Amino acid sequence: MDFKLEIAQLLQEVTQLSKQEIVDAIEIPPNKEMGDFAYPCFRLAKQFRKAPPLIAQQLSEKIEKPNFVEEIKVQGAYLNFFVKKAFFAQEVLQEVLLKKENYGKSTVGEGKTIVIDYSSPNIAKPFHVGHLRSTVIGNALYHIFEKLGYVCQGVNHLGDWGTQFGKLIVAYKKWGSQQAVEESGIQELMRIYVKFHDEAEKAPELEEEARGWFVKMQNGEKEALSLWKWFYDISIKEFDRVYDMLGVHFDAYTGESFYNDKMDAVVEELKQKNLLKQSEGAMIVDLEEEKMPPCLIIRKDGGTLYATRDITAALYRKKTYDFHKCIYLTALDQNLHFAQWFAVIKKMGYDWWQDLIHVPFGLVSLDNGKLSTRHGNVVLMEELLHQAIEETRKIIEEKNPDLPNKEEVAKKVGIGAVIFNDLYNSRIKDVVFSWERMLNFDGETGPYVQYTHARACSILRKGQCSLPEQIDYANLTDEASMEVLKLLGQFPEKIQEAADKLEPFVVTRHLVNLSQAFNKFYHDNSILNSQEPIKQARIALVIAVKMVLAEGLAILGIQAPEQM
Ligand code: ARG
């Protein structure tokens, strides 16, 4: 039963508003004295030509109390609805226990595809903490949309093409060796790439040579391509290790190189549509009208650019997936890039340009150098994840040395902590890495939520509990139980809200609130030692909390160990 909808039904007849308008206006009051749902009458003042408190009063007299409502109270300009507690408990619990991991699933997205372009690291460069955010946020949004019934296509738009590979080939031929690359992988590629830049300052002709190699790549010459492919394979192998640790999967690894043979047609189309202009030997799309710098399409030397590939990729994706939305996750500093090429798509006459959405996020900063690594100032993802596991292992060793599967649990908790930390705030905020804070089992952290889930599991294990056949919901009307139920009941709308705002933190925070409420319930009430039928009702609540916490964590891309 959707309480908001029921209330809207009731108010619809007396306000002449649409159901949706009323549903959108209904609030969940911050404290219990104000009821379970509140309808503010401010917006009705114009229509009724009366003061909002008076409107509230008159509406309350006109509507008939439905059977699920205990009381309707007027407080100021608000109509406050107090739902019958046992009724509410039954509605929420039955729904969770019936649907299990499908609780919160919806069909709003049915038949619609969402393409999510995330992670997208650059070949031959390290997967650094900056890419972590794109990966983790993208993965969470993937699960959020999936839960709402959308078909998701996770695309890894690898940075695997461009002039930098010409430089890398020159660098490899001059200062590299097969053995060193095989031994140290991306580290070694990075070393020779940096060396190229140092050397090219003294010897600019190196740049010319690099361009030559890139031209060879573009022309499909064998040696150039096989070196490129080698760098590619080495990089993917390293990236996949990180994805494995994070539990992230992609539906397509269509990186920039995938569009090599598709860009000519797009450039031709831009020409046909009279959008290409010569400028200092390059080809641009002018964006003066849009008050932006021009979008560079073809370089002076004939090379294509990042934007050329993004435009081509968008056209390809529209054709291939016929997406409802195509979402791009990158740091905030790429705002202009996306705004520019979205504008090009609009100028090409495609009205779906409005379905392209750049979802930017803030930076990652490190807790005063504690994370500094041997590798200078790039912090490598893999190393960071290993460090998270290591730190967690220490805590487990101290708190629960007899835990079975310590290694497995340390992995789930350590990596979960990193993911949770990244998803805890609005995307645009910078993320700070502080092991102490992230791994605090009592803080607003991943381990705290996981620990709460494990606590629920442990209660059920100890009591050898199974799902009660009969539940007397009147036993769940105490304050602590009601708070848990309220949060359980809100889970589906929180997922929808996270999708609407493209903000996984809505789910993250909700899980913290649910954990806190559950721990208070656990503290206030005895469970296994209580009398029947109270005991069965409380066990049912514990089972529901366990399910929702596990599912919520899964949506965020975090595992939920049963013991920790
Ligand atoms: N490879 C790029 C980077 O590391 C991110 C690519 C994002 N996706 C896109 N379609 N432009 O900055």
Side-chain angles (χ1 to χ4, degrees), residues 185-262:
I186 294 177
Q187 282 311 318
E188 172 65 5
L189 296 179
M190 198 55 195
R191 183 190 72 80
I192 58 175
Y193 187 68
V194 169
K195 186 163 171 71
F196 177 93
H197 281 272
D198 292 344
E199 297 290 329
E201 267 179 34
K202 291 169 270 171
E205 64 279 6
L206 285 173
E207 299 275 0
E208 205 47 55
E209 214 175 308
R211 261 193 295 277
W213 275 104
F214 183 55
V215 171
K216 285 186 191 168
M217 275 168 62
Q218 282 184 313
N219 296 339
E221 282 186 34
K222 214 168 148 223
E223 187 189 3
L225 272 192
S226 75
L227 279 171
W228 168 80
K229 183 71 171 60
W230 184 42
F231 301 149
Y232 181 97
D233 291 342
I234 285 171
S235 305
I236 292 284
K237 218 163 80 196
E238 292 196 24
F239 297 160
D240 277 348
R241 278 206 307 269
V242 174
Y243 294 139
D244 258 3
M245 289 175 93
L246 290 170
V248 170
H249 305 281
F250 297 90
D251 300 299
Y253 275 88
T254 37
E256 296 189 36
S257 68
F258 180 75
Y259 301 100
N260 282 341
D261 59 354
K262 300 174 180 63

XYZ file of all heavy atoms in Angstrom, residues 185-262:
666
model
N 55.014 -3.550 -16.094
C 53.749 -3.108 -16.687
C 53.613 -1.602 -16.817
O 54.522 -0.910 -17.292
N 52.474 -1.111 -16.367
C 52.149 0.308 -16.535
C 53.189 1.218 -15.872
O 53.496 2.291 -16.379
C 50.725 0.586 -15.975
C 49.677 -0.132 -16.831
C 50.432 2.063 -15.966
C 48.249 0.012 -16.341
N 53.752 0.762 -14.768
C 54.800 1.558 -14.102
C 55.903 1.921 -15.073
O 56.355 3.063 -15.134
C 55.430 0.752 -12.953
C 54.628 0.686 -11.701
C 54.142 2.045 -11.269
O 54.872 3.030 -11.316
N 52.883 2.115 -10.877
N 56.346 0.920 -15.816
C 57.446 1.114 -16.751
C 56.992 1.984 -17.931
O 57.722 2.874 -18.367
C 57.958 -0.259 -17.230
C 58.974 -0.224 -18.350
C 60.309 0.426 -17.975
O 60.494 0.771 -16.795
O 61.140 0.606 -18.883
N 55.793 1.759 -18.407
C 55.284 2.580 -19.518
C 55.212 4.048 -19.077
O 55.543 4.957 -19.827
C 53.897 2.089 -19.963
C 53.851 0.674 -20.556
C 52.424 0.292 -20.935
C 54.768 0.568 -21.777
N 54.780 4.239 -17.853
C 54.677 5.579 -17.290
C 56.069 6.221 -17.214
O 56.239 7.380 -17.550
C 54.071 5.420 -15.895
C 53.493 6.638 -15.280
S 52.278 7.402 -16.330
C 52.223 8.956 -15.462
N 57.042 5.424 -16.779
C 58.409 5.943 -16.618
C 58.953 6.442 -17.960
O 59.456 7.564 -18.060
C 59.332 4.858 -16.053
C 60.754 5.335 -15.775
C 61.710 4.194 -15.447
N 62.061 3.368 -16.604
C 62.970 3.687 -17.527
N 63.611 4.830 -17.451
N 63.201 2.874 -18.553
N 58.795 5.626 -18.998
C 59.365 6.047 -20.277
C 58.558 7.190 -20.905
O 59.117 8.039 -21.589
C 59.534 4.859 -21.271
C 58.206 4.162 -21.541
C 60.570 3.863 -20.763
C 58.310 3.066 -22.607
N 57.282 7.248 -20.590
C 56.436 8.329 -21.101
C 56.881 9.663 -20.486
O 57.011 10.672 -21.181
C 54.976 8.034 -20.760
C 53.985 8.987 -21.362
C 53.764 9.019 -22.725
C 53.251 9.861 -20.558
C 52.846 9.887 -23.291
C 52.329 10.743 -21.102
C 52.130 10.749 -22.471
O 51.217 11.611 -23.020
N 57.140 9.646 -19.190
C 57.617 10.854 -18.511
C 58.976 11.253 -19.074
O 59.259 12.429 -19.316
C 57.692 10.619 -16.981
C 58.438 11.755 -16.296
C 56.281 10.467 -16.397
N 59.791 10.246 -19.320
C 61.122 10.515 -19.869
C 61.008 11.176 -21.247
O 61.758 12.106 -21.573
C 61.936 9.220 -19.970
C 63.390 9.455 -20.392
C 64.260 8.255 -20.075
C 65.653 8.387 -20.683
N 66.478 9.391 -20.015
N 60.071 10.721 -22.039
C 59.857 11.312 -23.354
C 59.652 12.824 -23.222
O 60.254 13.607 -23.933
C 58.648 10.692 -24.053
C 58.338 11.316 -25.389
C 58.864 10.779 -26.556
C 57.555 12.468 -25.475
C 58.602 11.376 -27.789
C 57.299 13.076 -26.701
C 57.819 12.528 -27.860
N 58.805 13.211 -22.277
C 58.504 14.633 -22.115
C 59.722 15.424 -21.685
O 59.953 16.527 -22.167
C 57.329 14.814 -21.147
C 56.025 14.544 -21.811
N 55.316 15.515 -22.466
C 55.331 13.394 -21.983
C 54.226 14.978 -23.002
N 54.218 13.689 -22.720
N 60.527 14.846 -20.790
C 61.756 15.520 -20.361
C 62.700 15.698 -21.545
O 63.241 16.782 -21.774
C 62.459 14.693 -19.271
C 61.641 14.674 -17.988
O 60.728 15.532 -17.866
O 61.893 13.811 -17.128
N 62.849 14.625 -22.303
C 63.798 14.655 -23.414
C 63.318 15.569 -24.543
O 64.120 16.250 -25.179
C 64.030 13.235 -23.966
C 64.645 12.260 -22.982
C 66.107 12.565 -22.657
O 66.819 13.094 -23.541
O 66.516 12.283 -21.512
N 62.012 15.571 -24.757
C 61.467 16.355 -25.873
C 61.645 17.852 -25.647
O 61.652 18.636 -26.600
C 60.001 16.019 -26.094
N 61.829 18.236 -24.402
C 62.085 19.654 -24.144
C 63.419 20.078 -24.723
O 63.572 21.164 -25.247
C 62.055 19.921 -22.631
C 60.674 20.343 -22.198
C 60.574 20.592 -20.718
O 61.567 21.061 -20.107
O 59.489 20.306 -20.174
N 64.383 19.161 -24.635
C 65.708 19.449 -25.191
C 65.757 19.161 -26.691
O 66.488 19.796 -27.422
C 66.767 18.584 -24.469
C 66.993 18.999 -23.017
C 67.838 17.975 -22.262
C 66.955 16.925 -21.605
N 67.692 15.784 -21.045
N 65.003 18.176 -27.111
C 65.051 17.758 -28.513
C 63.648 17.718 -29.115
O 63.020 16.663 -29.171
C 65.724 16.385 -28.617
N 63.168 18.870 -29.572
C 61.794 18.965 -30.061
C 61.497 18.032 -31.242
O 60.342 17.704 -31.497
C 61.656 20.425 -30.494
C 62.841 21.140 -29.961
C 63.900 20.144 -29.665
N 62.550 17.601 -31.953
C 62.291 16.726 -33.111
C 61.658 15.396 -32.689
O 61.058 14.682 -33.491
C 63.557 16.501 -33.943
C 64.703 15.781 -33.259
C 65.558 16.694 -32.347
O 65.189 17.869 -32.162
O 66.575 16.203 -31.825
N 61.776 15.061 -31.395
C 61.141 13.840 -30.896
C 59.625 13.887 -31.101
O 58.985 12.888 -31.387
C 61.448 13.649 -29.405
C 62.862 13.182 -29.058
C 63.069 13.201 -27.556
C 63.119 11.785 -29.622
N 59.082 15.083 -30.939
C 57.631 15.254 -31.106
C 57.226 14.883 -32.535
O 56.191 14.237 -32.754
C 57.233 16.718 -30.856
C 57.545 17.224 -29.459
C 56.454 16.889 -28.450
O 55.446 16.264 -28.844
O 56.628 17.244 -27.260
N 58.052 15.313 -33.472
C 57.798 15.027 -34.888
C 57.776 13.518 -35.121
O 56.889 12.965 -35.774
C 58.923 15.682 -35.718
C 58.535 16.002 -37.142
C 57.181 16.698 -37.245
O 56.952 17.760 -36.595
O 56.330 16.132 -37.953
N 58.779 12.881 -34.522
C 58.897 11.437 -34.650
C 57.647 10.736 -34.081
O 57.123 9.787 -34.659
C 60.126 10.987 -33.858
C 60.874 9.819 -34.459
C 62.142 9.525 -33.652
O 62.942 10.477 -33.422
O 62.299 8.382 -33.231
N 57.194 11.245 -32.938
C 56.017 10.660 -32.275
C 54.786 10.803 -33.162
O 53.994 9.875 -33.309
C 55.785 11.318 -30.927
N 54.633 11.959 -33.749
C 53.487 12.177 -34.644
C 53.527 11.191 -35.794
O 52.510 10.639 -36.214
C 53.493 13.617 -35.172
C 52.526 14.519 -34.400
C 52.291 15.832 -35.119
N 53.516 16.645 -35.187
C 53.927 17.436 -34.197
N 53.227 17.535 -33.103
N 55.030 18.133 -34.316
N 54.766 10.969 -36.282
C 54.953 10.006 -37.375
C 54.434 8.628 -36.986
O 53.733 7.965 -37.753
N 54.757 8.204 -35.779
C 54.301 6.883 -35.332
C 52.791 6.836 -35.172
O 52.157 5.834 -35.449
C 54.983 6.494 -34.010
C 56.323 5.860 -34.260
C 57.550 6.438 -34.101
C 56.565 4.534 -34.747
N 58.550 5.572 -34.453
C 57.980 4.383 -34.851
C 55.756 3.466 -35.128
C 58.578 3.203 -35.305
C 56.341 2.291 -35.570
C 57.734 2.158 -35.658
N 52.233 7.948 -34.734
C 50.774 7.949 -34.574
C 50.095 7.867 -35.945
O 49.097 7.168 -36.115
C 50.302 9.189 -33.801
C 48.812 9.190 -33.559
C 48.196 8.114 -32.933
C 48.018 10.256 -33.982
C 46.818 8.093 -32.719
C 46.639 10.242 -33.781
C 46.037 9.150 -33.146
N 50.696 8.548 -36.920
C 50.152 8.464 -38.284
C 50.207 7.011 -38.748
O 49.250 6.484 -39.329
C 50.927 9.389 -39.254
C 50.509 9.124 -40.700
C 50.675 10.845 -38.886
N 51.340 6.339 -38.435
C 51.448 4.918 -38.806
C 50.344 4.097 -38.133
O 49.783 3.177 -38.738
C 52.809 4.351 -38.389
C 53.954 4.801 -39.274
C 55.234 4.080 -38.897
C 56.420 4.739 -39.602
N 57.703 4.287 -39.083
N 50.075 4.423 -36.885
C 48.987 3.712 -36.192
C 47.672 3.920 -36.930
O 46.912 2.988 -37.166
C 48.833 4.242 -34.759
C 49.759 3.608 -33.744
S 49.745 4.526 -32.168
C 48.048 4.373 -31.654
N 47.449 5.192 -37.273
C 46.178 5.513 -37.949
C 46.061 4.821 -39.290
O 44.978 4.435 -39.710
C 46.056 7.025 -38.127
C 45.643 7.710 -36.845
C 45.433 9.193 -37.026
O 46.263 9.877 -37.626
N 44.336 9.704 -36.492
N 47.227 4.634 -39.952
C 47.205 3.966 -41.252
C 47.213 2.456 -41.126
O 47.294 1.744 -42.122
C 48.393 4.422 -42.105
C 48.299 5.900 -42.426
O 47.216 6.488 -42.369
N 49.428 6.520 -42.735
N 47.191 1.985 -39.898
C 47.118 0.543 -39.690
C 48.430 -0.185 -39.962
O 48.417 -1.378 -40.275
N 49.555 0.508 -39.848
C 50.830 -0.191 -40.102
C 51.138 -1.177 -38.997
O 50.936 -0.908 -37.812
C 51.958 0.831 -40.278
C 51.886 1.435 -41.666
C 53.054 2.354 -41.952
O 54.165 2.078 -41.449
O 52.836 3.343 -42.672
N 51.668 -2.302 -39.413
C 51.737 -3.454 -38.531
C 52.538 -3.225 -37.240
O 52.048 -3.487 -36.140
C 52.342 -4.632 -39.299
C 51.736 -5.944 -38.853
C 52.090 -7.075 -39.787
C 52.173 -8.362 -38.984
N 53.310 -9.184 -39.354
N 53.766 -2.728 -37.388
C 54.606 -2.605 -36.199
C 53.974 -1.644 -35.186
O 53.914 -1.928 -33.983
C 56.007 -2.122 -36.570
C 56.919 -2.165 -35.350
C 58.271 -1.507 -35.559
O 58.497 -0.940 -36.658
O 59.083 -1.546 -34.618
N 53.511 -0.522 -35.699
C 52.906 0.485 -34.814
C 51.713 -0.113 -34.073
O 51.575 0.026 -32.852
C 52.470 1.694 -35.629
N 50.872 -0.808 -34.819
C 49.663 -1.350 -34.205
C 49.958 -2.464 -33.212
O 49.293 -2.577 -32.178
C 48.698 -1.867 -35.269
C 47.728 -0.850 -35.843
C 46.655 -1.553 -36.655
C 47.077 0.007 -34.751
N 50.978 -3.269 -33.517
C 51.214 -4.379 -32.599
C 51.828 -3.864 -31.293
O 51.552 -4.398 -30.224
C 52.023 -5.501 -33.249
O 53.367 -5.120 -33.342
N 52.646 -2.812 -31.389
C 53.147 -2.216 -30.138
C 51.980 -1.639 -29.339
O 51.865 -1.831 -28.124
C 54.168 -1.114 -30.440
C 55.589 -1.602 -30.741
C 56.450 -0.451 -31.234
C 56.224 -2.248 -29.503
N 51.112 -0.925 -30.023
C 49.956 -0.316 -29.354
C 49.108 -1.404 -28.673
O 48.704 -1.280 -27.534
C 49.123 0.455 -30.389
C 47.784 0.868 -29.865
C 47.507 1.929 -29.070
C 46.537 0.184 -30.077
N 46.168 1.964 -28.757
C 45.554 0.903 -29.369
C 46.163 -0.954 -30.794
C 44.210 0.525 -29.351
C 44.825 -1.342 -30.787
C 43.867 -0.598 -30.066
N 48.897 -2.496 -29.399
C 48.076 -3.584 -28.876
C 48.726 -4.202 -27.633
O 48.051 -4.594 -26.671
C 47.889 -4.640 -29.981
C 46.994 -5.811 -29.611
C 45.537 -5.368 -29.525
C 44.547 -6.508 -29.374
N 44.689 -7.351 -28.201
N 50.031 -4.263 -27.685
C 50.770 -4.808 -26.543
C 50.569 -3.921 -25.311
O 50.239 -4.402 -24.225
C 52.254 -4.907 -26.922
C 53.135 -5.539 -25.882
C 52.859 -6.644 -25.127
C 54.440 -5.088 -25.496
N 53.920 -6.923 -24.292
C 54.905 -5.981 -24.507
C 55.256 -4.022 -25.909
C 56.164 -5.827 -23.902
C 56.514 -3.895 -25.311
C 56.953 -4.780 -24.325
N 50.738 -2.612 -25.493
C 50.511 -1.682 -24.366
C 49.074 -1.812 -23.863
O 48.812 -1.757 -22.660
C 50.743 -0.218 -24.797
C 52.127 0.063 -25.320
C 52.338 1.039 -26.301
C 53.230 -0.631 -24.827
C 53.611 1.311 -26.774
C 54.515 -0.357 -25.306
C 54.702 0.609 -26.288
N 48.170 -1.981 -24.802
C 46.747 -2.095 -24.480
C 46.500 -3.321 -23.591
O 45.898 -3.232 -22.524
C 45.950 -2.209 -25.788
C 44.447 -2.318 -25.613
C 43.631 -1.202 -25.723
C 43.841 -3.555 -25.361
C 42.254 -1.299 -25.590
C 42.458 -3.661 -25.215
C 41.676 -2.527 -25.325
O 40.314 -2.629 -25.187
N 47.023 -4.459 -24.023
C 46.784 -5.701 -23.286
C 47.369 -5.642 -21.870
O 46.738 -6.099 -20.920
C 47.379 -6.893 -24.043
C 46.600 -7.178 -25.323
O 45.443 -6.702 -25.434
O 47.145 -7.860 -26.219
N 48.563 -5.067 -21.794
C 49.193 -4.946 -20.472
C 48.321 -4.091 -19.549
O 48.088 -4.419 -18.392
C 50.597 -4.310 -20.611
C 51.553 -5.361 -21.171
C 51.100 -3.756 -19.290
C 52.892 -4.806 -21.551
N 47.815 -3.008 -20.092
C 47.011 -2.091 -19.272
C 45.717 -2.750 -18.833
O 45.340 -2.689 -17.662
C 46.687 -0.822 -20.058
O 47.872 -0.232 -20.527
N 45.036 -3.385 -19.782
C 43.744 -4.007 -19.463
C 43.921 -5.048 -18.362
O 43.090 -5.170 -17.464
C 43.124 -4.662 -20.718
C 42.716 -3.595 -21.711
C 41.944 -5.543 -20.343
C 41.449 -2.847 -21.354
N 45.030 -5.767 -18.452
C 45.259 -6.791 -17.436
C 45.319 -6.146 -16.044
O 44.745 -6.649 -15.088
C 46.564 -7.536 -17.749
C 46.457 -9.003 -17.435
C 47.525 -9.859 -18.077
C 48.840 -9.801 -17.327
N 49.966 -10.292 -18.105
N 45.996 -5.020 -15.972
C 46.085 -4.334 -14.669
C 44.738 -3.749 -14.250
O 44.348 -3.827 -13.095
C 47.173 -3.247 -14.704
C 48.548 -3.862 -14.822
C 49.689 -2.902 -14.476
O 49.456 -1.922 -13.732
O 50.798 -3.145 -14.961
N 44.027 -3.153 -15.194
C 42.723 -2.563 -14.850
C 41.768 -3.651 -14.349
O 41.032 -3.454 -13.386
C 42.083 -1.869 -16.061
C 42.868 -0.699 -16.586
C 42.654 -0.232 -17.878
C 43.817 -0.062 -15.801
C 43.370 0.851 -18.367
C 44.543 1.023 -16.289
C 44.312 1.473 -17.587
N 41.806 -4.787 -15.049
C 40.871 -5.858 -14.675
C 41.110 -6.357 -13.252
O 40.172 -6.761 -12.568
C 40.955 -7.017 -15.673
C 40.097 -6.749 -16.901
O 39.283 -5.799 -16.854
O 40.251 -7.461 -17.912
N 42.357 -6.299 -12.827
C 42.631 -6.701 -11.428
C 41.892 -5.774 -10.469
O 41.329 -6.205 -9.471
C 44.131 -6.655 -11.151
C 44.877 -7.892 -11.610
C 46.147 -8.100 -10.791
N 47.003 -6.933 -10.761
C 47.991 -6.703 -11.648
N 48.215 -7.557 -12.624
N 48.735 -5.620 -11.552
N 41.922 -4.478 -10.790
C 41.236 -3.500 -9.927
C 39.719 -3.712 -9.991
O 39.037 -3.714 -8.968
C 41.596 -2.056 -10.349
C 40.787 -1.048 -9.551
C 43.086 -1.809 -10.158
N 39.192 -3.921 -11.207
C 37.744 -4.130 -11.344
C 37.299 -5.376 -10.578
O 36.236 -5.395 -9.977
C 37.346 -4.252 -12.817
C 37.551 -2.979 -13.598
C 38.071 -2.993 -14.888
C 37.239 -1.739 -13.036
C 38.260 -1.817 -15.607
C 37.426 -0.571 -13.740
C 37.942 -0.610 -15.025
O 38.127 0.551 -15.721
N 38.145 -6.394 -10.624
C 37.843 -7.616 -9.887
C 37.717 -7.335 -8.400
O 36.798 -7.790 -7.736
C 38.981 -8.624 -10.078
C 38.599 -9.687 -11.081
O 37.497 -9.578 -11.637
O 39.407 -10.609 -11.286
N 38.670 -6.587 -7.885
C 38.645 -6.264 -6.456
C 37.404 -5.461 -6.109
O 36.797 -5.636 -5.062
C 39.893 -5.464 -6.057
C 41.154 -6.297 -6.069
S 42.604 -5.279 -5.727
C 42.730 -5.469 -3.962
N 37.028 -4.550 -6.994
C 35.873 -3.693 -6.727
C 34.554 -4.376 -7.065
O 33.484 -3.875 -6.727
C 35.977 -2.399 -7.543
C 37.048 -1.399 -7.138
C 37.161 -0.307 -8.186
C 36.736 -0.768 -5.780
N 34.627 -5.506 -7.772
C 33.398 -6.191 -8.181
C 32.643 -5.417 -9.252
O 31.416 -5.389 -9.263
N 33.381 -4.786 -10.151
C 32.745 -3.971 -11.191
C 32.850 -4.672 -12.552
O 33.888 -5.241 -12.872
C 33.443 -2.592 -11.269
C 32.985 -1.803 -12.486
C 33.178 -1.790 -10.001
N 31.762 -4.621 -13.293
C 31.756 -5.244 -14.629
C 31.253 -4.251 -15.663
O 30.507 -3.350 -15.330
C 30.832 -6.463 -14.646
C 31.180 -7.447 -13.592
N 32.212 -8.328 -13.725
C 30.668 -7.646 -12.358
C 32.314 -9.047 -12.624
N 31.390 -8.646 -11.769
N 31.667 -4.441 -16.878
C 31.196 -3.581 -17.971
C 30.515 -4.431 -19.029
O 30.863 -5.584 -19.223
C 32.363 -2.816 -18.592
C 33.018 -1.888 -17.623
C 34.079 -2.326 -16.835
C 32.547 -0.603 -17.448
C 34.650 -1.485 -15.903
C 33.119 0.245 -16.519
C 34.180 -0.195 -15.741
N 29.565 -3.825 -19.710
C 28.922 -4.535 -20.809
C 29.712 -4.348 -22.093
O 29.601 -5.139 -23.010
C 27.487 -4.027 -20.979
C 26.671 -4.263 -19.718
O 26.524 -5.432 -19.332
O 26.229 -3.285 -19.083
N 30.483 -3.266 -22.168
C 31.273 -3.027 -23.380
C 32.558 -2.291 -23.036
O 32.558 -1.367 -22.218
C 30.463 -2.215 -24.378
N 33.640 -2.741 -23.648
C 34.917 -2.038 -23.529
C 35.177 -1.304 -24.841
O 36.169 -1.544 -25.500
C 36.041 -3.042 -23.277
C 36.246 -3.426 -21.833
C 35.526 -4.478 -21.277
C 37.162 -2.754 -21.034
C 35.718 -4.846 -19.948
C 37.358 -3.118 -19.703
C 36.624 -4.159 -19.174
O 36.807 -4.522 -17.871
N 34.250 -0.456 -25.217
C 34.444 0.266 -26.468
C 35.157 1.572 -26.156
O 34.532 2.571 -25.817
C 33.083 0.550 -27.134
O 32.141 0.834 -26.086
C 32.603 -0.635 -27.907
N 36.469 1.538 -26.264
C 37.269 2.722 -25.972
C 37.357 3.648 -27.174
O 36.682 3.439 -28.188
N 38.221 4.637 -27.060
C 38.305 5.642 -28.132
C 38.722 5.024 -29.467
O 38.253 5.437 -30.525
C 39.262 6.753 -27.705
C 38.737 7.507 -26.483
C 39.539 8.763 -26.163
O 40.002 9.434 -27.109
O 39.715 9.051 -24.970
N 39.587 4.009 -29.422
C 40.079 3.430 -30.683
C 38.959 2.765 -31.479
O 39.044 2.634 -32.695
C 41.180 2.403 -30.408
O 40.635 1.270 -29.758
N 37.916 2.383 -30.786
C 36.782 1.723 -31.429
C 36.157 2.620 -32.510
O 35.507 2.147 -33.428
C 35.748 1.372 -30.349
C 34.517 0.689 -30.862
C 34.550 -0.646 -31.244
C 33.315 1.380 -30.954
C 33.401 -1.276 -31.708
C 32.161 0.755 -31.419
C 32.213 -0.578 -31.792
N 36.365 3.914 -32.374
C 35.701 4.855 -33.283
C 36.582 5.302 -34.448
O 36.178 6.150 -35.237
C 35.168 6.056 -32.481
C 34.199 5.567 -31.431
C 34.590 5.403 -30.106
C 32.916 5.162 -31.791
C 33.728 4.873 -29.153
C 32.044 4.625 -30.847
C 32.458 4.489 -29.534
O 31.589 3.946 -28.616
N 37.779 4.697 -34.560
C 38.699 5.074 -35.634
C 38.060 5.076 -37.006
O 38.203 6.024 -37.773
C 39.867 4.089 -35.680
C 40.851 4.415 -34.594
O 40.833 5.529 -34.078
N 41.674 3.466 -34.232
N 37.377 3.985 -37.281
C 36.830 3.860 -38.637
C 35.432 4.481 -38.740
O 34.750 4.320 -39.737
C 36.790 2.378 -39.059
C 35.937 1.544 -38.115
O 35.475 2.091 -37.078
O 35.734 0.347 -38.400
N 35.013 5.161 -37.681
C 33.658 5.713 -37.704
C 33.658 7.243 -37.724
O 32.599 7.865 -37.848
C 32.865 5.208 -36.485
C 32.754 3.684 -36.458
C 32.095 3.161 -35.193
C 32.009 1.645 -35.203
N 33.346 0.966 -35.224
